């Protein structure tokens, strides 16, 4: 079984669905995978290149002790969690939950696993 890890994903700007992005045709985002390869979290914003994405992950990991996990509801009443550092959302759950408790548990798991994860895996391309 794999270890929990950050992974960079290169995605076309057209596939960002309203997220902030660079001016180039491709952007890079991070996601966090559990040991069973399920996506737990992803970056709120995209980055113009792999180096800036890797730096964002290093900054996130360095500030995790001070970061807070908040649960919020979307327009359909589903729960998700956000990781905030200095009042700014930097990560969000990869999925939505019917119950707030599940969102809380997932956010807590991310917070705990991300702190002990290894270096970020470099870019995979996602259409």
């Amino acid at each position: 079984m794999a270890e929990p890890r950050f992974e960079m994903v290169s995605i076309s700007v057209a596939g960002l669905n309203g997220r902030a992005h660079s001016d180039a045709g491709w952007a890079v985002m991070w996601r966090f995978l559990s040991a069973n390869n399920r996506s737990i979290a992803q970056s709120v914003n995209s980055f113009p290149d792999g180096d800036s994405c890797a730096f964002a992950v290093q900054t996130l990991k360095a500030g995790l002790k001070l970061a807070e996990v908040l649960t919020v509801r979307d327009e359909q009443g589903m729960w998700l969690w956000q990781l905030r550092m200095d009042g700014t959302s930097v990560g969000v759950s990869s999925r939505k939950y019917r119950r707030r408790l599940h969102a809380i548990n997932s956010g807590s798991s991310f917070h705990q696993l991300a702190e002990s994860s290894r270096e970020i895996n470099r870019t995979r391309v996602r259409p």
Side-chain angles (χ1 to χ4, degrees):
M1 193 173 270
E3 293 183 18
R5 66 206 177 277
F6 284 95
E7 178 180 78
M8 280 190 234
V9 179
S10 182
I11 185 167
S12 69
V13 172
L16 285 173
N17 296 327
R19 292 190 191 108
H21 59 81
S22 66
D23 292 331
W26 290 88
V28 179
M29 298 179 68
W30 61 259
R31 66 179 181 169
F32 189 79
L33 302 174
S34 65
N36 63 356
N37 291 320
R38 289 183 186 235
S39 183
I40 296 176
Q42 62 191 36
S43 58
V44 171
N45 295 312
S46 64
F47 305 92
D49 55 46
D51 291 337
S52 57
C53 183
F55 181 74
V57 170
Q58 288 174 349
T59 303
L60 182 150
K61 287 180 66 174
L64 271 174
K65 289 194 187 324
L66 300 175
E68 59 183 342
V69 176
L70 301 174
T71 53
V72 295
R73 284 189 121 160
D74 69 3
E75 305 82 32
Q76 290 83 35
M78 300 289 284
W79 290 98
L80 56 113
W81 59 264
Q82 296 176 346
L83 181 75
R84 292 194 182 168
M85 297 175 69
D86 297 325
T88 303
S89 292
V90 294
V92 66
S93 56
S94 295
R95 60 172 294 225
K96 298 176 182 181
Y97 303 88
R98 292 186 187 273
R99 298 187 180 193
R100 182 172 182 244
L101 180 62
H102 294 162
I104 291 170
N105 290 342
S106 177
S108 296
S109 292
F110 168 76
H111 198 269
Q112 186 176 30
L113 293 171
E115 204 167 13
S116 61
S117 67
R118 296 182 182 221
E119 292 298 314
I120 189 166
N121 290 340
R122 286 295 172 159
T123 310
R124 292 179 57 187
V125 176
R126 185 170 75 183

